[in-house]
C-alpha cells in the first residue's frame, strides 16, 4: 500500500510515490495507492497530465499503470474538502474512508509506504 499525501506542493515526493507503485507492479507485487491531501486532485481527469517534474516519468503514465494493474483509492474526507464527488473522478478510482484504509493496511502481508 502506498499512501500519497503530496501533490504539486511537493512534486518530488509525489512522483516518488507513483514511481515506487509502478515499479512494484512491474515486479509482480500487488499495489494499492491511496490519494490523500493534495494528491487527491490526481483523481480528476487530466490533472496528472498537468503535473511535470524534470527527469521523471510522466505522472499520467504512472497513474495509468496503477489503474491498469493495481487499485487507486481517493480518501473520502480529502475528496469532500476539495468538492470532488464520485461523478468527477477517473474511471477505476474509488472513494473510501478511514475504515477501509485501516482494514486494507492491517491485512496480513501488507507493507505500507507513505509519501
Amino acid at each position: 500500500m502506498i499512501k500519497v499525501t503530496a501533490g504539486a506542493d511537493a512534486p518530488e515526493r509525489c512522483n516518488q510515490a507513483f514511481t515506487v507503485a509502478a515499479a512494484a507492479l512491474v515486479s509482480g507485487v500487488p499495489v494499492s495507492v491511496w490519494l490523500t491531501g493534495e494528491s487527491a486532485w490526481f483523481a480528476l481527469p487530466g490533472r496528472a497530465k498537468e503535473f511535470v517534474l524534470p527527469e521523471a516519468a510522466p505522472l499520467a503514465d504512472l497513474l495509468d499503470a496503477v489503474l491498469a494493474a493495481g487499485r487507486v483509492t481517493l480518501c473520502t474526507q480529502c475528496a469532500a474538502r476539495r468538492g470532488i464527488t464520485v461523478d468527477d473522478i477517473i474511471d477505476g478510482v474509488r472513494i473510501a474512508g478511514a475504515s477501509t484504509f485501516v482494514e486494507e493496511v492491517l491485512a496480513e502481508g501488507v507493507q505500507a509506504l507513505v509519501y
Side-chain angles (χ1 to χ4, degrees), residues 4-91:
V4 190
T5 63
D9 59 324
E12 288 184 296
R13 191 162 31 111
C14 175
N15 194 269
Q16 289 168 357
F18 283 94
T19 299
V20 168
L25 286 167
V26 169
S27 299
V29 176
V31 171
S32 174
V33 171
W34 279 72
L35 303 175
T36 68
E38 286 301 296
S39 72
W41 295 114
F42 299 124
L44 297 175
R47 288 293 183 102
K49 288 184 184 202
E50 296 172 4
F51 181 93
V52 177
L53 181 64
E55 306 300 325
L59 189 64
D61 293 349
L62 298 171
L63 177 56
D64 286 347
V66 177
L67 284 167
R71 179 185 308 170
V72 178
T73 306
L74 171 59
C75 163
T76 301
Q77 289 183 16
C78 300
R81 279 190 285 276
R82 289 160 180 81
I84 300 171
T85 70
V86 69
D87 295 327
D88 300 322
I89 60 178
I90 299 168
D91 287 339

